[in-house]
Amino acid sequence: MERAPVKTYCIIGDPVHHSLSPGMQNAAFNALGLNCTYIAFRVPTSELEASIQSLRSIKIAGFNVTIPHKVAVMKYLDELDATAKKAGAVNTVNNIEGVFKGYNTDMHGFIEPLRRRKVDFEGMSVLLLGAGGAARAIVAALSEEKGIAKVVIANRDQKKAGELARAGEKMGLKCEPLPFDKVTTASPDADLVVNATSIGLSNEPSPVDSDHIKKGSIVYDIVYRPVVTDLIEQAKMAQASVVYGYEMLIEQGARAFEIWTGLEAPREVMKKNLLGIFGEPT
Ligand code: NDP
């Protein structure tokens, strides 16, 4: 049987050398026997527009977008789906016969691990740490769940916390901004604590310790490297349930794979690829 022509996918960002997406997506393509390949390109901000033109010329099959281009890329695309419009950011682009269509799979990536745990959002009080790009996708995802009582948004930059709180209100959530140094005043009452800051990436201590985490609550750290951050350790000490950042990473990648190929993503293969690098959490 003749092999299908090769399709090339990529990720653009700056920096991008640390990206785990090439390994994860290539493992998924190989597992399904697809003649597809996925590579990483460092694209500085000043070269974003030209790079998108180049991706059009070479007829790239699709691509992911990471820091710092998730918002800026939108103006170079032809269409946006509902997720991209809602989150105000794009992390996945599909090339549909020359039409570049943008999606946001971080929303799905964030919420799916909670849905899989059958989390009941009714009456839930959420504490969200951070007001950057990922936090915005998280607010958009939470706004699609029914019954959340409130979302407290703690951020160093109060202007950004206020803007995200207003965006959340427009999406139908009750939101309150909070200065970042006051997190421990809100964390003991939170049913769900989400870290969407970069704290933890360099093994920094968690801004919330076990004495300020409610027993039986859920603590979700979207930082995925290291797998077990100090916040996750503190949550376990407080007898909270934990959700790991790698779970979101797999789900956002799996949804991108499904948009590109129309096939169900081999999540176990993708997980094995990631945890082979990380080591299984205990
Ligand atoms: P942004 O740069 O858009 O936002 C960074 C956020 O972190 C801001 O709210 C910033 O606060 C806060 N922050 C950074 N350093 C500190 C600090 N020392 N103390 C307090 N707050 C701090 O990044 P993203 O939103 O895109 O990403 C945030 C994190 O989420 C990253 O670690 C990234 O790796 C992770 N991520 C994980 C994903 C997954 O699939 N698991 C997907 C996407 C992101 P301020 O505004 O005050 O500067």
mmCIF file of all heavy atoms in Angstrom, residues 18 66-67 70 91 106 109-110 129-136 154-158 160-161 180 195-199 201 204 207 220-225 244-250 252, ligand 1:
data_model
loop_
_atom_site.group_PDB
_atom_site.id
_atom_site.type_symbol
_atom_site.label_atom_id
_atom_site.label_comp_id
_atom_site.label_asym_id
_atom_site.label_seq_id
_atom_site.Cartn_x
_atom_site.Cartn_y
_atom_site.Cartn_z
ATOM 1 N N HIS A 18 12.809 23.966 25.352
ATOM 2 C CA HIS A 18 12.448 23.086 26.470
ATOM 3 C C HIS A 18 11.130 22.354 26.201
ATOM 4 O O HIS A 18 10.687 21.560 27.017
ATOM 5 C CB HIS A 18 12.277 23.930 27.726
ATOM 6 C CG HIS A 18 11.153 24.916 27.566
ATOM 7 N ND1 HIS A 18 11.305 26.086 26.848
ATOM 8 C CD2 HIS A 18 9.852 24.866 27.939
ATOM 9 C CE1 HIS A 18 10.139 26.718 26.825
ATOM 10 N NE2 HIS A 18 9.252 26.004 27.474
ATOM 11 N N THR A 66 3.106 28.868 21.575
ATOM 12 C CA THR A 66 3.338 29.014 23.015
ATOM 13 C C THR A 66 3.880 30.406 23.315
ATOM 14 O O THR A 66 3.924 31.279 22.437
ATOM 15 C CB THR A 66 4.211 27.849 23.556
ATOM 16 O OG1 THR A 66 4.226 27.927 24.982
ATOM 17 C CG2 THR A 66 5.631 27.876 23.017
ATOM 18 N N ILE A 67 4.273 30.618 24.584
ATOM 19 C CA ILE A 67 4.764 31.921 25.042
ATOM 20 C C ILE A 67 5.813 32.472 24.090
ATOM 21 O O ILE A 67 6.685 31.711 23.692
ATOM 22 C CB ILE A 67 5.381 31.770 26.457
ATOM 23 C CG1 ILE A 67 4.256 31.551 27.486
ATOM 24 C CG2 ILE A 67 6.213 32.960 26.860
ATOM 25 C CD1 ILE A 67 4.776 31.260 28.889
ATOM 26 N N LYS A 70 0.725 33.663 22.052
ATOM 27 C CA LYS A 70 -0.643 33.113 22.047
ATOM 28 C C LYS A 70 -1.711 34.159 21.707
ATOM 29 O O LYS A 70 -2.750 33.825 21.152
ATOM 30 C CB LYS A 70 -0.968 32.466 23.401
ATOM 31 C CG LYS A 70 -0.269 31.133 23.613
ATOM 32 C CD LYS A 70 -0.735 30.487 24.909
ATOM 33 C CE LYS A 70 0.024 29.215 25.188
ATOM 34 N NZ LYS A 70 -0.440 28.531 26.399
ATOM 35 N N ASN A 91 -3.669 28.545 21.031
ATOM 36 C CA ASN A 91 -2.469 27.711 21.196
ATOM 37 C C ASN A 91 -2.386 26.620 20.137
ATOM 38 O O ASN A 91 -1.404 25.880 20.096
ATOM 39 C CB ASN A 91 -2.410 27.099 22.600
ATOM 40 C CG ASN A 91 -3.376 25.951 22.767
ATOM 41 O OD1 ASN A 91 -4.447 25.942 22.160
ATOM 42 N ND2 ASN A 91 -3.004 24.976 23.562
ATOM 43 N N ASP A 106 -6.123 24.902 25.673
ATOM 44 C CA ASP A 106 -5.776 24.987 27.107
ATOM 45 C C ASP A 106 -7.046 24.919 27.970
ATOM 46 O O ASP A 106 -7.016 24.375 29.077
ATOM 47 C CB ASP A 106 -5.031 26.292 27.418
ATOM 48 C CG ASP A 106 -3.581 26.259 26.945
ATOM 49 O OD1 ASP A 106 -3.006 25.154 26.838
ATOM 50 O OD2 ASP A 106 -3.018 27.343 26.669
ATOM 51 N N GLY A 109 -7.892 21.400 28.093
ATOM 52 C CA GLY A 109 -6.798 20.733 28.803
ATOM 53 C C GLY A 109 -6.908 20.907 30.303
ATOM 54 O O GLY A 109 -6.651 19.986 31.078
ATOM 55 N N PHE A 110 -7.326 22.097 30.728
ATOM 56 C CA PHE A 110 -7.459 22.371 32.153
ATOM 57 C C PHE A 110 -8.650 21.625 32.762
ATOM 58 O O PHE A 110 -8.541 20.995 33.809
ATOM 59 C CB PHE A 110 -7.640 23.876 32.387
ATOM 60 C CG PHE A 110 -8.031 24.194 33.801
ATOM 61 C CD1 PHE A 110 -7.090 24.146 34.820
ATOM 62 C CD2 PHE A 110 -9.349 24.494 34.122
ATOM 63 C CE1 PHE A 110 -7.457 24.396 36.136
ATOM 64 C CE2 PHE A 110 -9.721 24.749 35.435
ATOM 65 C CZ PHE A 110 -8.777 24.703 36.445
ATOM 66 N N LEU A 129 -4.382 31.407 41.430
ATOM 67 C CA LEU A 129 -3.134 32.163 41.568
ATOM 68 C C LEU A 129 -2.624 32.479 40.169
ATOM 69 O O LEU A 129 -2.370 31.557 39.380
ATOM 70 C CB LEU A 129 -2.081 31.342 42.322
ATOM 71 C CG LEU A 129 -2.509 30.681 43.636
ATOM 72 C CD1 LEU A 129 -1.329 29.934 44.262
ATOM 73 C CD2 LEU A 129 -3.050 31.713 44.610
ATOM 74 N N GLY A 130 -2.514 33.768 39.857
ATOM 75 C CA GLY A 130 -2.013 34.168 38.536
ATOM 76 C C GLY A 130 -3.106 34.802 37.694
ATOM 77 O O GLY A 130 -4.309 34.532 37.881
ATOM 78 N N ALA A 131 -2.670 35.698 36.798
ATOM 79 C CA ALA A 131 -3.619 36.379 35.900
ATOM 80 C C ALA A 131 -2.997 36.525 34.514
ATOM 81 O O ALA A 131 -3.279 37.467 33.796
ATOM 82 C CB ALA A 131 -4.008 37.738 36.475
ATOM 83 N N GLY A 132 -2.142 35.568 34.143
ATOM 84 C CA GLY A 132 -1.500 35.602 32.829
ATOM 85 C C GLY A 132 -2.354 34.853 31.803
ATOM 86 O O GLY A 132 -3.563 34.669 31.987
ATOM 87 N N GLY A 133 -1.709 34.431 30.729
ATOM 88 C CA GLY A 133 -2.421 33.771 29.630
ATOM 89 C C GLY A 133 -3.115 32.485 30.059
ATOM 90 O O GLY A 133 -4.277 32.252 29.704
ATOM 91 N N ALA A 134 -2.415 31.658 30.823
ATOM 92 C CA ALA A 134 -3.021 30.384 31.236
ATOM 93 C C ALA A 134 -4.202 30.639 32.169
ATOM 94 O O ALA A 134 -5.245 29.979 32.063
ATOM 95 C CB ALA A 134 -1.972 29.512 31.922
ATOM 96 N N ALA A 135 -4.045 31.620 33.072
ATOM 97 C CA ALA A 135 -5.136 31.938 34.014
ATOM 98 C C ALA A 135 -6.385 32.365 33.250
ATOM 99 O O ALA A 135 -7.507 32.015 33.625
ATOM 100 C CB ALA A 135 -4.686 33.033 34.980
ATOM 101 N N ARG A 136 -6.205 33.092 32.174
ATOM 102 C CA ARG A 136 -7.357 33.552 31.396
ATOM 103 C C ARG A 136 -8.101 32.366 30.761
ATOM 104 O O ARG A 136 -9.337 32.311 30.775
ATOM 105 C CB ARG A 136 -6.909 34.540 30.311
ATOM 106 C CG ARG A 136 -8.094 35.225 29.747
ATOM 107 C CD ARG A 136 -7.852 36.184 28.643
ATOM 108 N NE ARG A 136 -9.111 36.268 27.940
ATOM 109 C CZ ARG A 136 -9.948 37.291 28.004
ATOM 110 N NH1 ARG A 136 -9.656 38.336 28.708
ATOM 111 N NH2 ARG A 136 -11.083 37.264 27.363
ATOM 112 N N ALA A 154 -5.763 35.923 42.604
ATOM 113 C CA ALA A 154 -4.638 36.548 43.310
ATOM 114 C C ALA A 154 -3.473 36.721 42.347
ATOM 115 O O ALA A 154 -3.041 35.755 41.712
ATOM 116 C CB ALA A 154 -4.214 35.672 44.491
ATOM 117 N N ASN A 155 -3.000 37.958 42.240
ATOM 118 C CA ASN A 155 -1.879 38.217 41.328
ATOM 119 C C ASN A 155 -1.024 39.349 41.878
ATOM 120 O O ASN A 155 -1.518 40.228 42.577
ATOM 121 C CB ASN A 155 -2.405 38.589 39.944
ATOM 122 C CG ASN A 155 -1.360 38.403 38.868
ATOM 123 O OD1 ASN A 155 -0.719 37.346 38.805
ATOM 124 N ND2 ASN A 155 -1.148 39.408 38.034
ATOM 125 N N ARG A 156 0.281 39.293 41.554
ATOM 126 C CA ARG A 156 1.181 40.387 41.977
ATOM 127 C C ARG A 156 0.723 41.683 41.337
ATOM 128 O O ARG A 156 0.525 42.687 42.003
ATOM 129 C CB ARG A 156 2.612 40.094 41.490
ATOM 130 C CG ARG A 156 3.428 39.218 42.347
ATOM 131 C CD ARG A 156 4.831 39.111 41.804
ATOM 132 N NE ARG A 156 4.898 39.000 40.340
ATOM 133 C CZ ARG A 156 5.944 38.607 39.670
ATOM 134 N NH1 ARG A 156 7.046 38.296 40.312
ATOM 135 N NH2 ARG A 156 5.931 38.533 38.348
ATOM 136 N N ASP A 157 0.558 41.653 40.025
ATOM 137 C CA ASP A 157 0.131 42.845 39.285
ATOM 138 C C ASP A 157 -1.398 42.962 39.434
ATOM 139 O O ASP A 157 -2.151 42.198 38.822
ATOM 140 C CB ASP A 157 0.543 42.669 37.814
ATOM 141 C CG ASP A 157 0.137 43.847 36.947
ATOM 142 O OD1 ASP A 157 -0.798 44.576 37.319
ATOM 143 O OD2 ASP A 157 0.744 44.011 35.875
ATOM 144 N N GLN A 158 -1.828 43.905 40.269
ATOM 145 C CA GLN A 158 -3.249 44.039 40.595
ATOM 146 C C GLN A 158 -4.090 44.482 39.404
ATOM 147 O O GLN A 158 -5.271 44.178 39.316
ATOM 148 C CB GLN A 158 -3.432 45.017 41.759
ATOM 149 C CG GLN A 158 -3.264 44.350 43.096
ATOM 150 C CD GLN A 158 -4.311 43.244 43.309
ATOM 151 O OE1 GLN A 158 -5.455 43.501 43.595
ATOM 152 N NE2 GLN A 158 -3.903 41.995 43.137
ATOM 153 N N LYS A 160 -3.714 43.513 36.336
ATOM 154 C CA LYS A 160 -4.038 42.308 35.569
ATOM 155 C C LYS A 160 -5.085 41.455 36.292
ATOM 156 O O LYS A 160 -5.969 40.872 35.665
ATOM 157 C CB LYS A 160 -2.773 41.489 35.307
ATOM 158 C CG LYS A 160 -2.015 42.010 34.088
ATOM 159 C CD LYS A 160 -0.606 41.477 34.008
ATOM 160 C CE LYS A 160 -0.517 39.994 33.742
ATOM 161 N NZ LYS A 160 0.892 39.527 33.749
ATOM 162 N N ALA A 161 -4.986 41.417 37.643
ATOM 163 C CA ALA A 161 -5.984 40.654 38.423
ATOM 164 C C ALA A 161 -7.368 41.272 38.218
ATOM 165 O O ALA A 161 -8.356 40.561 38.015
ATOM 166 C CB ALA A 161 -5.609 40.651 39.903
ATOM 167 N N PHE A 180 -1.465 39.473 45.792
ATOM 168 C CA PHE A 180 -0.834 38.152 45.885
ATOM 169 C C PHE A 180 -0.343 37.840 47.299
ATOM 170 O O PHE A 180 -0.390 36.692 47.740
ATOM 171 C CB PHE A 180 0.323 38.044 44.882
ATOM 172 C CG PHE A 180 0.710 36.627 44.631
ATOM 173 C CD1 PHE A 180 -0.087 35.813 43.834
ATOM 174 C CD2 PHE A 180 1.847 36.086 45.207
ATOM 175 C CE1 PHE A 180 0.239 34.481 43.622
ATOM 176 C CE2 PHE A 180 2.182 34.756 44.991
ATOM 177 C CZ PHE A 180 1.380 33.956 44.194
ATOM 178 N N ASN A 195 -2.828 26.810 40.821
ATOM 179 C CA ASN A 195 -1.650 27.644 40.590
ATOM 180 C C ASN A 195 -1.432 27.808 39.092
ATOM 181 O O ASN A 195 -1.089 26.852 38.392
ATOM 182 C CB ASN A 195 -0.394 27.033 41.212
ATOM 183 C CG ASN A 195 0.832 27.875 40.877
ATOM 184 O OD1 ASN A 195 0.755 29.111 40.824
ATOM 185 N ND2 ASN A 195 1.953 27.224 40.623
ATOM 186 N N ALA A 196 -1.635 29.047 38.607
ATOM 187 C CA ALA A 196 -1.364 29.361 37.189
ATOM 188 C C ALA A 196 -0.299 30.442 37.107
ATOM 189 O O ALA A 196 -0.258 31.209 36.152
ATOM 190 C CB ALA A 196 -2.639 29.787 36.487
ATOM 191 N N THR A 197 0.561 30.516 38.140
ATOM 192 C CA THR A 197 1.751 31.363 38.050
ATOM 193 C C THR A 197 2.915 30.458 37.640
ATOM 194 O O THR A 197 2.758 29.237 37.558
ATOM 195 C CB THR A 197 2.115 32.020 39.399
ATOM 196 O OG1 THR A 197 2.622 31.003 40.276
ATOM 197 C CG2 THR A 197 0.919 32.704 40.035
ATOM 198 N N SER A 198 4.076 31.057 37.422
ATOM 199 C CA SER A 198 5.234 30.204 37.120
ATOM 200 C C SER A 198 5.983 29.798 38.382
ATOM 201 O O SER A 198 7.051 29.194 38.282
ATOM 202 C CB SER A 198 6.142 30.894 36.107
ATOM 203 O OG SER A 198 6.024 32.281 36.180
ATOM 204 N N ILE A 199 5.405 30.082 39.557
ATOM 205 C CA ILE A 199 6.071 29.673 40.809
ATOM 206 C C ILE A 199 6.079 28.140 40.879
ATOM 207 O O ILE A 199 5.036 27.499 40.747
ATOM 208 C CB ILE A 199 5.338 30.230 42.049
ATOM 209 C CG1 ILE A 199 5.366 31.750 42.029
ATOM 210 C CG2 ILE A 199 5.970 29.694 43.330
ATOM 211 C CD1 ILE A 199 4.571 32.379 43.166
ATOM 212 N N LEU A 201 8.342 26.383 38.946
ATOM 213 C CA LEU A 201 9.187 26.012 37.808
ATOM 214 C C LEU A 201 10.654 25.907 38.205
ATOM 215 O O LEU A 201 11.386 25.077 37.678
ATOM 216 C CB LEU A 201 9.086 27.097 36.723
ATOM 217 C CG LEU A 201 8.060 26.942 35.626
ATOM 218 C CD1 LEU A 201 8.102 28.163 34.720
ATOM 219 C CD2 LEU A 201 8.314 25.679 34.822
ATOM 220 N N GLU A 204 10.731 26.945 43.511
ATOM 221 C CA GLU A 204 10.483 27.926 44.568
ATOM 222 C C GLU A 204 9.488 27.345 45.562
ATOM 223 O O GLU A 204 8.650 26.519 45.201
ATOM 224 C CB GLU A 204 9.852 29.221 44.017
ATOM 225 C CG GLU A 204 10.620 29.926 42.952
ATOM 226 C CD GLU A 204 10.169 29.521 41.561
ATOM 227 O OE1 GLU A 204 9.787 28.349 41.358
ATOM 228 O OE2 GLU A 204 10.219 30.379 40.677
ATOM 229 N N PRO A 207 3.516 29.505 47.618
ATOM 230 C CA PRO A 207 2.992 30.655 48.364
ATOM 231 C C PRO A 207 1.924 30.250 49.382
ATOM 232 O O PRO A 207 1.549 31.048 50.232
ATOM 233 C CB PRO A 207 2.387 31.546 47.271
ATOM 234 C CG PRO A 207 2.163 30.653 46.102
ATOM 235 C CD PRO A 207 3.120 29.515 46.207
ATOM 236 N N TYR A 220 -4.661 22.130 42.344
ATOM 237 C CA TYR A 220 -4.293 21.846 40.946
ATOM 238 C C TYR A 220 -3.123 22.769 40.618
ATOM 239 O O TYR A 220 -3.265 23.990 40.626
ATOM 240 C CB TYR A 220 -5.512 22.183 40.092
ATOM 241 C CG TYR A 220 -5.539 21.739 38.639
ATOM 242 C CD1 TYR A 220 -6.764 21.564 37.999
ATOM 243 C CD2 TYR A 220 -4.386 21.513 37.900
ATOM 244 C CE1 TYR A 220 -6.846 21.173 36.664
ATOM 245 C CE2 TYR A 220 -4.467 21.117 36.575
ATOM 246 C CZ TYR A 220 -5.702 20.950 35.956
ATOM 247 O OH TYR A 220 -5.773 20.573 34.642
ATOM 248 N N ASP A 221 -1.953 22.180 40.379
ATOM 249 C CA ASP A 221 -0.790 22.995 39.997
ATOM 250 C C ASP A 221 -0.544 22.785 38.512
ATOM 251 O O ASP A 221 -0.184 21.678 38.099
ATOM 252 C CB ASP A 221 0.447 22.592 40.810
ATOM 253 C CG ASP A 221 1.534 23.651 40.721
ATOM 254 O OD1 ASP A 221 1.464 24.497 39.806
ATOM 255 O OD2 ASP A 221 2.440 23.638 41.567
ATOM 256 N N ILE A 222 -0.735 23.833 37.691
ATOM 257 C CA ILE A 222 -0.564 23.616 36.243
ATOM 258 C C ILE A 222 0.914 23.613 35.828
ATOM 259 O O ILE A 222 1.237 23.265 34.704
ATOM 260 C CB ILE A 222 -1.408 24.578 35.379
ATOM 261 C CG1 ILE A 222 -0.825 25.986 35.340
ATOM 262 C CG2 ILE A 222 -2.865 24.588 35.815
ATOM 263 C CD1 ILE A 222 -1.345 26.783 34.139
ATOM 264 N N VAL A 223 1.806 24.007 36.759
ATOM 265 C CA VAL A 223 3.244 23.846 36.478
ATOM 266 C C VAL A 223 3.511 22.343 36.360
ATOM 267 O O VAL A 223 3.086 21.568 37.219
ATOM 268 C CB VAL A 223 4.102 24.475 37.603
ATOM 269 C CG1 VAL A 223 5.556 24.066 37.490
ATOM 270 C CG2 VAL A 223 3.976 25.995 37.554
ATOM 271 N N TYR A 224 4.153 21.917 35.259
ATOM 272 C CA TYR A 224 4.328 20.479 35.028
ATOM 273 C C TYR A 224 5.769 20.006 35.169
ATOM 274 O O TYR A 224 6.041 18.821 35.078
ATOM 275 C CB TYR A 224 3.763 20.073 33.664
ATOM 276 C CG TYR A 224 4.257 20.914 32.516
ATOM 277 C CD1 TYR A 224 5.500 20.683 31.957
ATOM 278 C CD2 TYR A 224 3.481 21.953 32.010
ATOM 279 C CE1 TYR A 224 5.958 21.468 30.922
ATOM 280 C CE2 TYR A 224 3.923 22.736 30.964
ATOM 281 C CZ TYR A 224 5.164 22.487 30.425
ATOM 282 O OH TYR A 224 5.616 23.265 29.399
ATOM 283 N N ARG A 225 6.679 20.955 35.342
ATOM 284 C CA ARG A 225 8.078 20.547 35.549
ATOM 285 C C ARG A 225 8.649 21.372 36.674
ATOM 286 O O ARG A 225 8.763 22.589 36.507
ATOM 287 C CB ARG A 225 8.873 20.730 34.264
ATOM 288 C CG ARG A 225 10.265 20.168 34.372
ATOM 289 C CD ARG A 225 10.863 19.649 33.126
ATOM 290 N NE ARG A 225 10.830 20.563 32.003
ATOM 291 C CZ ARG A 225 11.300 20.261 30.795
ATOM 292 N NH1 ARG A 225 11.818 19.079 30.579
ATOM 293 N NH2 ARG A 225 11.260 21.123 29.822
ATOM 294 N N TYR A 244 -2.181 17.153 38.755
ATOM 295 C CA TYR A 244 -0.844 17.518 38.278
ATOM 296 C C TYR A 244 -0.903 18.299 36.959
ATOM 297 O O TYR A 244 -1.752 18.034 36.106
ATOM 298 C CB TYR A 244 -0.019 16.253 38.028
ATOM 299 C CG TYR A 244 0.290 15.457 39.271
ATOM 300 C CD1 TYR A 244 -0.509 14.380 39.646
ATOM 301 C CD2 TYR A 244 1.383 15.778 40.064
ATOM 302 C CE1 TYR A 244 -0.223 13.629 40.790
ATOM 303 C CE2 TYR A 244 1.679 15.045 41.203
ATOM 304 C CZ TYR A 244 0.881 13.973 41.562
ATOM 305 O OH TYR A 244 1.165 13.250 42.681
ATOM 306 N N GLY A 245 0.065 19.194 36.799
ATOM 307 C CA GLY A 245 0.155 19.985 35.568
ATOM 308 C C GLY A 245 0.340 19.135 34.320
ATOM 309 O O GLY A 245 -0.118 19.508 33.238
ATOM 310 N N TYR A 246 0.985 17.963 34.471
ATOM 311 C CA TYR A 246 1.206 17.154 33.269
ATOM 312 C C TYR A 246 -0.125 16.639 32.693
ATOM 313 O O TYR A 246 -0.232 16.374 31.498
ATOM 314 C CB TYR A 246 2.192 16.001 33.532
ATOM 315 C CG TYR A 246 1.622 14.795 34.240
ATOM 316 C CD1 TYR A 246 0.858 13.848 33.567
ATOM 317 C CD2 TYR A 246 1.859 14.587 35.594
ATOM 318 C CE1 TYR A 246 0.338 12.744 34.216
ATOM 319 C CE2 TYR A 246 1.339 13.498 36.256
ATOM 320 C CZ TYR A 246 0.575 12.572 35.563
ATOM 321 O OH TYR A 246 0.054 11.486 36.203
ATOM 322 N N GLU A 247 -1.136 16.530 33.560
ATOM 323 C CA GLU A 247 -2.443 16.052 33.080
ATOM 324 C C GLU A 247 -3.039 17.064 32.108
ATOM 325 O O GLU A 247 -3.623 16.707 31.086
ATOM 326 C CB GLU A 247 -3.390 15.815 34.257
ATOM 327 C CG GLU A 247 -2.866 14.761 35.227
ATOM 328 C CD GLU A 247 -3.800 14.565 36.413
ATOM 329 O OE1 GLU A 247 -4.982 14.255 36.194
ATOM 330 O OE2 GLU A 247 -3.350 14.736 37.566
ATOM 331 N N MET A 248 -2.884 18.358 32.444
ATOM 332 C CA MET A 248 -3.362 19.419 31.543
ATOM 333 C C MET A 248 -2.539 19.430 30.251
ATOM 334 O O MET A 248 -3.088 19.584 29.153
ATOM 335 C CB MET A 248 -3.262 20.776 32.251
ATOM 336 C CG MET A 248 -3.590 21.957 31.374
ATOM 337 S SD MET A 248 -3.665 23.484 32.335
ATOM 338 C CE MET A 248 -3.827 24.695 31.024
ATOM 339 N N LEU A 249 -1.228 19.247 30.406
ATOM 340 C CA LEU A 249 -0.346 19.258 29.230
ATOM 341 C C LEU A 249 -0.754 18.171 28.238
ATOM 342 O O LEU A 249 -0.842 18.412 27.030
ATOM 343 C CB LEU A 249 1.106 19.063 29.692
ATOM 344 C CG LEU A 249 2.157 19.188 28.617
ATOM 345 C CD1 LEU A 249 2.239 20.615 28.093
ATOM 346 C CD2 LEU A 249 3.529 18.762 29.154
ATOM 347 N N ILE A 250 -1.034 16.974 28.758
ATOM 348 C CA ILE A 250 -1.449 15.874 27.878
ATOM 349 C C ILE A 250 -2.778 16.211 27.213
ATOM 350 O O ILE A 250 -2.944 16.044 26.002
ATOM 351 C CB ILE A 250 -1.576 14.550 28.672
ATOM 352 C CG1 ILE A 250 -0.202 14.073 29.121
ATOM 353 C CG2 ILE A 250 -2.268 13.472 27.826
ATOM 354 C CD1 ILE A 250 -0.237 12.896 30.077
ATOM 355 N N GLN A 252 -4.315 19.134 26.635
ATOM 356 C CA GLN A 252 -4.314 20.183 25.610
ATOM 357 C C GLN A 252 -3.667 19.663 24.326
ATOM 358 O O GLN A 252 -4.105 19.982 23.225
ATOM 359 C CB GLN A 252 -3.702 21.505 26.115
ATOM 360 C CG GLN A 252 -2.234 21.487 26.531
ATOM 361 C CD GLN A 252 -1.250 21.485 25.372
ATOM 362 O OE1 GLN A 252 -1.527 22.057 24.330
ATOM 363 N NE2 GLN A 252 -0.124 20.829 25.552
HETATM 364 P P1 NDP B 1 2.309 34.330 31.754
HETATM 365 O O1 NDP B 1 3.687 34.855 31.593
HETATM 366 O O2 NDP B 1 1.199 34.816 30.882
HETATM 367 O O3 NDP B 1 1.826 34.621 33.296
HETATM 368 C C1 NDP B 1 2.697 34.365 34.380
HETATM 369 C C2 NDP B 1 1.934 34.520 35.690
HETATM 370 O O4 NDP B 1 2.793 34.134 36.766
HETATM 371 C C3 NDP B 1 1.512 35.975 35.982
HETATM 372 O O5 NDP B 1 0.272 35.955 36.658
HETATM 373 C C4 NDP B 1 2.640 36.462 36.910
HETATM 374 O O6 NDP B 1 2.243 37.505 37.781
HETATM 375 C C5 NDP B 1 2.868 35.197 37.717
HETATM 376 N N1 NDP B 1 4.186 35.150 38.367
HETATM 377 C C6 NDP B 1 5.385 34.904 37.784
HETATM 378 N N2 NDP B 1 6.357 34.883 38.726
HETATM 379 C C7 NDP B 1 5.748 35.135 39.925
HETATM 380 C C8 NDP B 1 6.213 35.256 41.267
HETATM 381 N N3 NDP B 1 7.522 35.103 41.555
HETATM 382 N N4 NDP B 1 5.329 35.504 42.237
HETATM 383 C C9 NDP B 1 4.011 35.651 41.959
HETATM 384 N N5 NDP B 1 3.499 35.529 40.697
HETATM 385 C C10 NDP B 1 4.365 35.293 39.700
HETATM 386 O O7 NDP B 1 2.461 32.744 31.679
HETATM 387 P P2 NDP B 1 1.314 31.636 31.419
HETATM 388 O O8 NDP B 1 0.064 32.096 32.046
HETATM 389 O O9 NDP B 1 1.294 31.254 29.999
HETATM 390 O O10 NDP B 1 1.923 30.378 32.216
HETATM 391 C C11 NDP B 1 1.952 30.328 33.621
HETATM 392 C C12 NDP B 1 2.461 28.956 34.071
HETATM 393 O O11 NDP B 1 1.568 27.931 33.639
HETATM 394 C C13 NDP B 1 3.837 28.579 33.504
HETATM 395 O O12 NDP B 1 4.559 27.970 34.535
HETATM 396 C C14 NDP B 1 3.531 27.561 32.431
HETATM 397 O O13 NDP B 1 4.567 26.604 32.298
HETATM 398 C C15 NDP B 1 2.271 26.891 32.988
HETATM 399 N N6 NDP B 1 1.421 26.346 31.922
HETATM 400 C C16 NDP B 1 1.085 25.015 31.983
HETATM 401 C C17 NDP B 1 0.286 24.457 31.015
HETATM 402 C C18 NDP B 1 -0.037 23.004 31.086
HETATM 403 O O14 NDP B 1 -0.500 22.458 30.083
HETATM 404 N N7 NDP B 1 0.144 22.337 32.218
HETATM 405 C C19 NDP B 1 -0.267 25.264 29.903
HETATM 406 C C20 NDP B 1 0.104 26.671 29.969
HETATM 407 C C21 NDP B 1 0.925 27.171 30.946
HETATM 408 P P3 NDP B 1 2.364 39.067 37.338
HETATM 409 O O15 NDP B 1 1.239 39.304 36.370
HETATM 410 O O16 NDP B 1 2.188 39.813 38.605
HETATM 411 O O17 NDP B 1 3.718 39.219 36.710
#
